[in-house]
Amino acid sequence: MELSLQAADHGLIGTAGWRGLAYQYGAFWAGLLYDWQPNYVAQPWVMFLSYVLLHGGLGHLIGNMISLLVLAEIAAKFISQRAFFAIYIISAVGGGLCFGLLSSSPQPMVGASGALFGLVGAWQYWRWSARQRAGRSLWPIWNTIFWLIMLNAVLWAVLGGLLAWETHLGGFITGWIGAVALARWNSGLNR
């Protein structure tokens, strides 16, 4: 999607207006959860997944895809492809929901970072669970969470407030909860 929008931005295909249209119809608009009029009937529901397919530029896409590759490799050690996809999707929805509830921004939200932070949340749960079972200190997980908060604070400041930290928070929490649910589901199946 982003590559098509990049080509349109540079006049290679379509028109420069494609990005604006893509955002109007596919980005996450918090106002649609309240009193804004949607462009089409299903938009307030579709945006919970479509925003993940749009990005703020090539750098945003590349950063998200590198993160996805790293996190997919980590997740492959713990869960199946189907479970990975489930955590990714529910984290995207959870990230959008948290953004919609906490943000008052009139700007659209785009990018896969809600789903990516969900994978981080799941990973931290797996670390938490393994350390707890082994009777080891949980400090490394708290330390990671602290640095994730600091990273978000720094990026928010550097980007002049144009960071959807609410999406990251919602994705992380949803991913953690999703990993807990998968662990309980799997333990129930193994009985």
Side-chain angles (χ1 to χ4, degrees):
M1 184 75 70
E2 181 59 34
L3 297 179
S4 297
L5 296 178
Q6 283 289 319
D9 290 346
H10 290 91
L12 301 174
I13 61 171
T15 70
W18 277 14
R19 183 175 299 277
L21 285 172
Y23 285 6
Q24 284 177 14
Y25 287 86
F28 194 99
W29 297 89
L32 289 174
L33 298 179
Y34 302 101
D35 57 355
W36 289 12
Q37 287 297 107
N39 292 315
Y40 54 96
V41 174
Q43 186 176 9
W45 303 103
V46 170
M47 71 179 180
F48 277 92
L49 294 177
S50 61
Y51 82 90
V52 176
L53 302 174
L54 299 170
H55 287 81
L58 199 54
H60 188 202
L61 173 69
I62 290 170
N64 276 192
M65 293 305 100
I66 289 171
S67 299
L68 178 60
L69 288 172
V70 169
L71 292 166
E73 187 173 325
I74 291 167
K77 296 173 186 174
F78 297 95
I79 56 174
S80 68
Q81 288 179 356
R82 182 177 290 163
F84 173 87
F85 185 70
I87 287 178
Y88 189 87
I89 294 298
I90 65 165
S91 296
V93 172
L97 183 61
C98 194
F99 179 81
L101 293 174
L102 297 179
S103 177
S104 59
S105 175
Q107 300 297 319
M109 185 266 292
V110 295
S113 58
L116 296 172
F117 268 82
L119 294 172
V120 172
W123 173 32
Q124 294 313 301
Y125 167 74
W126 298 322
R127 289 181 64 212
W128 175 285
S129 181
R131 294 185 75 80
Q132 196 171 43
R133 280 192 312 272
R136 298 174 64 198
S137 169
L138 299 176
W139 171 247
I141 288 83
W142 288 113
N143 188 47
T144 299
I145 292 170
F146 170 78
W147 286 110
L148 286 170
I149 292 168
M150 290 296 103
L151 173 66
N152 272 271
V154 168
L155 287 174
W156 185 83
V158 168
L159 296 173
L162 294 177
L163 179 81
W165 64 267
E166 305 92 340
T167 308
H168 299 171
L169 175 63
F172 184 94
I173 291 168
T174 307
W176 183 292
I177 292 168
V180 169
L182 280 172
R184 290 187 179 165
W185 171 266
N186 287 335
S187 69
L189 291 177
N190 293 329
R191 289 184 187 174

